[in-house]
């Protein structure tokens, strides 16, 4: 029976539009969910929005909107963004959902009844931007570390959660479970913080100051503060306490967060769970910041990167690949478009893209686009360690992905791609093809290369799902929903022979750093096209192509060429055009038809016949269909 896997992102605060940081966390969660789906695990992936708090009320007023209108709008932006980034979340929770609010009230009442919540007056340093009190030692040069502004001293009466009661329990739990918080640097950071006495946590705000929140079940004059509202989404979304999802997935819960919310997730949250009598989550996975221009991305600084803009310029899968490949999970990373372009051109266009198109082109050239049967007698001599390299790559990839080291997992795949490219160079299929005695070796070499591409197509699936599906389709595989299952793909030799392959395409065209041409390959699920739309051209570019109407005067087969027909056409002058349409048309079918030709194409000799122009035709799996007109016009008439 498949083991369950539950992954969550933080719920995102709706005081601003989604940016690169939100996209990275959510894509990382999507990648790890897809990876666990590869191992046949039953997975559940949760994300959502945090919609209560004073900052949201102030943001709504700034836009002259009601708070409800504002949170509906911003939450909608997050919810609409995730399909655009191919995010496969199972649920999207909002803290304004009635079911979530009911769970918050239930757990607050339980902890209050147990004596772990009390009422008291408090004076402290309060940052309105963060909506929290700070201690002196948490400030940087007297300022909030996130907003670089000095906090205000305020005094008010509120409810407090007795976190100090559970301090030693949390220390013991972290020490007994070394991978509870990972990477290790963040575990050590939490333990260092716990060396000092833990202050009790203020969990409320008076309604005299803010009404937008969940009312405390034991005092109608107060609303709960953000953490006792927001953090409980991880259990409320599963139908706590009796829902089947909660029973199945909570025991294996894992969270992904950025390091700025390490303290609430590494200290407040496990203590809240302990006090409520709920088992503690399994792992807290903490990543660093994406820095832009040497500083943390911030709306106030003005260096926010829009994920949809990056996706629209460079392509979705390329964008996802860059984020997973260039950040070491747990450390900070710098985002700049130059590095993104270099990664696309080197890793995707050169290494993977060229390999894919070369191998498919050779399969079509030497085996008419059919997967060849590897020869058993030459299998060992022509392997050259490729199968062993594939097994090594799968093992290293699995190890890296399991521990959220996405960069290591991808590095293992690209090491195998390097071996594949070297295999092409060493075996030199183009030389084997010239030697009839080496036909068996050629069959084995091309099969091995196609099989290697099959394995690559599955390994990249969690990070680049659309590219994986495209590769599978062109390799003649069924492309069913389970093609990525580890137990199905990992054994060498899984590619069936005698399967028809699609023609080679450019998976990742190179990006011109100056023009930043849009990546044509990937589209959203509602816009998929095969083959993909080519890069945009101007009207001047199109004007250089001279399309004319021509009448076919005669047609005949070209000797020793199964696919070619020699046509004599009239486009105001007589011309000969050689066209690869013999597989779909008999010569007599074309005589008298009016067709469209590219009249200014440079002449070329095909099988000894000089061709002056090219027919316009559509090609799909059913064959070739020549473009014709629905009524007769004068030969030579231009098309516009």
């Amino acid at each position: 029976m498949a083991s369950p896997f539950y992954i969550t992102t933080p719920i995102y605060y709706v005081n601003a539009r989604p940016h690169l940081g939100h996209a990275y966390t959510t894509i990382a969660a999507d990648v790890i969910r897809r990876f666990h789906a590869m191992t046949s695990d039953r997975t559940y992936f949760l994300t959502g929005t945090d919609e209560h708090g004073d900052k949201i009320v102030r943001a709504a007023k700034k836009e002259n909107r009601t708070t409800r209108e504002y949170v509906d709008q911003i939450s909608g932006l997050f919810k609409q963004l995730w399909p655009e980034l191919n995010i496969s979340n199972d649920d999207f929770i909002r803290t304004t959902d009635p079911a979530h609010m009911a769970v918050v009230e239930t757990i607050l009442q339980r902890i209050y009844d147990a004596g772990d919540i009390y009422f008291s007056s408090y004076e402290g340093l309060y940052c309105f931007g963060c909506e929290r009190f700070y201690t002196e030692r948490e400030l940087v040069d007297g300022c909030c570390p996130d907003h670089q502004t000095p906090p205000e001293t305020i005094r008010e009466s509120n409810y407090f959660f007795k976190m100090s009661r559970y301090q030693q329990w949390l220390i013991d739990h972290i020490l007994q479970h070394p991978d509870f918080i990972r990477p290790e640097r963040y575990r050590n950071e939490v333990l260092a913080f716990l060396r000092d006495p833990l202050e009790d946590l203020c969990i409320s705000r008076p309604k005299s100051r803010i009404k937008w929140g969940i009312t405390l079940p034991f005092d109608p004059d107060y609303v709960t503060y953000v953490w006792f509202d927001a953090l409980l989404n991880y259990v409320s979304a599963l139908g706590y306490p009796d829902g089947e999802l909660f029973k199945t997935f909570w025991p294996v819960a894992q969270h992904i967060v950025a390091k700025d919310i390490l303290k609430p997730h590494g200290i407040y949250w496990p203590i809240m769970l302990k006090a409520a009598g709920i088992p503690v989550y399994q792992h807290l996975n903490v990543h660093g910041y994406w820095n832009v221009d040497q500083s943390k991305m911030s709306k106030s600084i003005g260096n926010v990167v829009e994920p949809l803009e990056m996706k629209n310029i460079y392509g979705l899968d390329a964008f996802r690949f860059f984020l997973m490949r260039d950040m070491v999970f747990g450390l900070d990373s710098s985002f700049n478009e130059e590095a993104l372009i270099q990664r696309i051109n080197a890793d995707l266009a050169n290494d993977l893209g060229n390999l894919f198109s070369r191998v498919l082109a050779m399969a079509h050239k030497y085996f008419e686009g059919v997967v060849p049967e590897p020869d058993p007698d030459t299998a060992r001599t022509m392997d050259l360690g490729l199968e062993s390299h594939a097994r090594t790559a799968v093992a290293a990839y699995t190890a890296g992905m399991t521990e959220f080291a996405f960069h290591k997992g991808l590095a293992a795949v690209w090491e195998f791609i390097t071996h594949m490219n070297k295999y092409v160079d060493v075996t030199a299929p183009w030389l084997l093809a010239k030697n009839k005695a080496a036909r068996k070796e050629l069959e084995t070499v091309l099969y091995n290369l196609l099989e290697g591409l099959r394995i690559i197509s599955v390994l990249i699936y969690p990070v680049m799902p659309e590219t994986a599906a495209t590769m599978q389709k062109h390799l003649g595989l069924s492309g069913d929903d389970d093609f990525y299952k580890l137990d199905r793909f990992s054994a060498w030799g899984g590619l069936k022979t005698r399967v028809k392959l699609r023609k080679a395409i450019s998976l990742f065209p190179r990006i011109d750093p100056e023009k930043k041409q849009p990546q044509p390959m990937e589209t959203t699920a509602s816009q998929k096209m095969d083959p993909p739309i080519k890069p945009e051209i101007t009207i001047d570019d199109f004007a250089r192509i001279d399309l004319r109407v021509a009448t076919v005067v005669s047609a005949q087969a070209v000797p020793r060429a199964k696919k070619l027909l020699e046509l004599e056409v009239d486009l105001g002058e007589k011309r000969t055009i050689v066209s690869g349409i013999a597989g779909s048309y008999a010569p007599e079918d074309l005589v008298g038809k009016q067709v469209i030709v590219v009249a200014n194409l440079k002449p070329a000799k095909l099988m000894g016949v000089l061709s002056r122009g090219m027919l316009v035709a559509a090609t799909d799996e059913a064959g070739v269909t020549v473009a014709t007109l629905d009524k007769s016009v004068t030969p030579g008439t231009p098309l516009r």
Side-chain angles (χ1 to χ4, degrees):
M1 184 177 179
S3 57
F5 176 77
Y6 177 39
I7 192 69
T8 74
T9 71
I11 50 173
Y12 302 115
Y13 208 41
V14 294
N15 66 324
R17 299 168 64 89
H19 56 60
L20 176 65
H22 303 117
Y24 173 78
T25 307
T26 313
I27 290 172
D30 181 70
V31 168
I32 198 67
R33 187 213 68 81
R34 290 178 187 270
F35 169 71
H36 277 271
M38 289 174 66
T39 62
S40 298
D41 290 347
R42 184 184 172 195
T43 63
Y44 201 80
F45 171 15
L46 175 69
T47 188
T49 45
D50 178 7
E51 303 178 18
H52 290 129
D54 190 43
K55 276 193 291 188
I56 291 169
V57 174
R58 285 187 278 123
K61 285 181 180 178
K62 189 176 180 180
E63 295 197 9
N64 295 316
R65 310 188 73 175
T66 68
T67 308
R68 167 56 71 178
E69 289 173 342
Y70 179 79
V71 298
D72 287 348
Q73 177 204 4
I74 303 298
S75 179
L77 292 177
F78 280 92
K79 194 169 186 177
Q80 293 160 19
L81 174 63
W82 302 145
E84 292 276 356
L85 300 182
N86 211 344
I87 302 299
S88 59
N89 55 295
D90 295 286
D91 193 8
F92 185 96
I93 190 169
R94 300 177 62 181
T95 55
T96 51
D97 291 341
H100 168 75
M101 297 170 71
V103 169
V104 171
E105 291 169 354
T106 297
I107 291 177
L108 279 169
Q109 188 68 56
R110 177 182 299 171
I111 296 176
Y112 178 79
D113 292 343
D116 281 336
I117 293 176
Y118 63 93
F119 188 74
S120 179
S121 295
Y122 180 81
E123 183 177 288
L125 300 168
Y126 190 80
C127 174
F128 284 91
C130 295
E131 292 188 354
R132 59 161 288 196
F133 288 99
Y134 278 94
T135 62
E136 289 279 2
R137 65 189 179 88
E138 291 179 298
L139 301 178
V140 177
D141 298 326
C143 293
C144 164
D146 286 336
H147 295 89
Q148 288 87 49
T149 55
E152 296 182 26
T153 300
I154 66 169
R155 179 180 180 83
E156 67 183 19
S157 297
N158 270 307
Y159 286 87
F160 292 82
F161 172 49
K162 294 180 180 178
M163 285 205 307
S164 55
R165 176 181 291 183
Y166 298 93
Q167 181 168 358
Q168 190 56 51
W169 165 82
L170 180 58
I171 292 171
D172 294 341
H173 183 82
I174 294 172
L175 292 175
Q176 292 164 12
H177 302 83
D179 62 350
F180 178 60
I181 300 172
R182 54 192 188 183
E184 186 180 6
R185 62 172 53 223
Y186 298 110
R187 171 181 177 268
N188 294 339
E189 188 174 324
V190 169
L191 287 172
F193 191 90
L194 290 170
R195 291 193 192 107
D196 296 326
L198 196 59
E199 294 185 356
D200 291 343
L201 180 67
C202 180
I203 66 158
S204 69
R205 296 292 181 267
K207 284 188 176 178
S208 60
R209 185 149 69 84
I210 178 171
K211 292 182 173 64
W212 182 251
I214 300 173
T215 300
L216 293 181
F218 42 81
D219 192 332
D221 293 328
Y222 285 80
V223 295
T224 187
Y225 169 61
V226 60
W227 294 118
F228 249 92
D229 174 2
L231 292 170
L232 287 170
N233 89 90
Y234 303 130
V235 295
S236 69
L238 297 179
Y240 171 85
D242 300 318
E244 285 303 314
L245 289 175
F246 180 78
K247 295 174 185 176
T248 300
F249 290 106
W250 183 249
V252 294
Q254 296 199 45
H255 305 308
I256 295 181
V257 299
K259 66 181 183 180
D260 58 337
I261 49 175
L262 169 62
K263 185 178 178 182
H265 283 82
I267 297 177
Y268 305 169
W269 181 221
I271 290 179
M272 287 166 57
L273 290 166
K274 178 68 174 176
I278 302 172
V280 181
Y281 57 81
Q282 191 174 63
H283 298 297
L284 178 65
N285 305 282
V286 187
H287 67 76
Y289 293 145
W290 277 101
N291 295 321
V292 179
D293 299 327
Q294 306 304 312
S295 61
K296 179 191 172 186
M297 196 164 43
S298 167
K299 182 178 69 170
S300 59
I301 297 175
N303 62 349
V304 170
V305 175
E306 295 280 355
L308 278 184
E309 182 183 357
M310 295 298 99
K311 170 237 176 181
N312 291 337
I313 293 174
Y314 299 109
L316 174 55
D317 274 8
F319 177 59
R320 285 173 61 113
F321 174 78
F322 175 77
L323 295 184
M324 295 300 105
R325 182 65 183 86
D326 268 49
M327 175 175 271
V328 176
F329 194 89
L331 302 180
D332 292 352
S333 189
S334 294
F335 182 90
N336 66 78
E337 290 188 65
E338 289 74 17
L340 172 58
I341 292 171
Q342 287 175 8
R343 187 66 78 179
I344 292 172
N345 287 344
D347 290 9
L348 299 180
N350 287 358
D351 294 346
L352 175 58
N354 283 350
L355 174 68
F356 183 71
S357 59
R358 285 175 78 190
V359 172
L360 279 184
M362 288 188 289
H364 277 273
K365 183 174 183 180
Y366 304 138
F367 297 102
E368 297 185 338
V370 173
V371 179
E373 185 87 42
D375 178 63
D377 295 333
T378 61
R380 182 172 297 178
T381 56
M382 299 308 295
D383 176 77
L384 304 182
L386 195 62
E387 180 180 347
S388 174
H389 288 309
R391 286 197 301 268
T392 300
V394 171
Y397 167 86
T398 303
M401 299 294 281
T402 300
E403 60 184 28
F404 287 67
F406 306 118
H407 67 292
K408 289 184 180 179
L410 289 171
V413 178
W414 255 253
E415 187 172 347
F416 180 59
I417 290 172
T418 299
H419 286 301
M420 288 273 288
N421 278 310
K422 287 180 179 177
Y423 185 81
V424 173
D425 295 337
V426 170
T427 58
W430 52 91
L431 296 180
L432 295 175
K434 294 179 180 179
N435 183 0
K436 290 184 178 180
R439 184 68 176 177
K440 291 183 177 180
E441 285 85 350
L442 181 62
E443 291 170 345
T444 300
V445 165
L446 258 297
Y447 179 86
N448 287 345
L449 287 169
L450 292 166
E451 173 66 357
L453 289 177
R454 180 186 72 87
I455 289 177
I456 292 167
S457 74
V458 180
L459 293 177
I460 66 171
Y461 161 74
V463 177
M464 297 188 286
E466 291 295 335
T467 303
T470 298
M471 290 179 67
Q472 290 270 324
K473 185 167 59 177
H474 282 76
L475 290 170
L477 300 167
S478 61
D480 60 62
D481 291 339
D482 291 333
F483 76 82
Y484 53 83
K485 293 295 187 182
L486 200 61
D487 57 354
R488 286 183 54 178
F489 93 89
S490 57
W492 185 265
L495 186 65
K496 294 179 180 178
T497 60
R498 296 303 176 209
V499 172
K500 184 70 175 175
L501 304 168
R502 293 197 181 190
K503 290 192 174 180
I505 61 167
S506 176
L507 287 177
F508 296 97
R510 288 181 60 83
I511 301 290
D512 184 336
E514 300 299 322
K515 297 180 180 178
K516 296 180 183 176
Q517 288 284 355
Q519 165 68 276
M521 185 208 143
E522 292 147 341
T523 58
T524 61
S526 63
Q527 299 172 318
K528 293 177 186 173
M529 299 187 72
D530 180 29
I533 297 291
K534 295 178 180 178
E536 289 180 353
I537 62 173
T538 67
I539 190 65
D540 292 333
D541 293 331
F542 179 75
R544 295 177 60 199
I545 304 171
D546 193 349
L547 298 174
R548 302 270 178 151
V549 176
T551 302
V552 179
V553 177
S554 65
Q556 62 181 357
V558 176
R560 303 186 307 280
K562 294 181 180 179
K563 297 182 179 180
L564 299 181
L565 291 181
E566 179 183 337
L567 310 177
E568 184 182 359
V569 301
D570 176 11
L571 46 69
E573 65 179 26
K574 295 289 179 67
R575 286 195 184 184
T576 298
I577 294 177
V578 178
S579 182
I581 58 175
S584 300
Y585 291 90
E588 58 270 20
D589 294 337
L590 294 166
V591 176
K593 282 187 180 292
Q594 287 207 303
V595 295
I596 300 167
V597 302
V598 181
N600 63 336
L601 189 68
K602 185 177 180 179
K605 269 194 175 182
L606 300 174
M607 297 298 290
V609 180
L610 184 65
S611 178
R612 298 176 60 223
M614 180 177 70
L615 261 64
V616 175
T619 304
D620 59 17
E621 292 177 348
V624 179
T625 303
V626 173
T628 58
L629 303 178
D630 61 357
K631 62 182 181 180
S632 179
V633 297
T634 304
T637 300
L639 274 74
R640 293 182 175 84

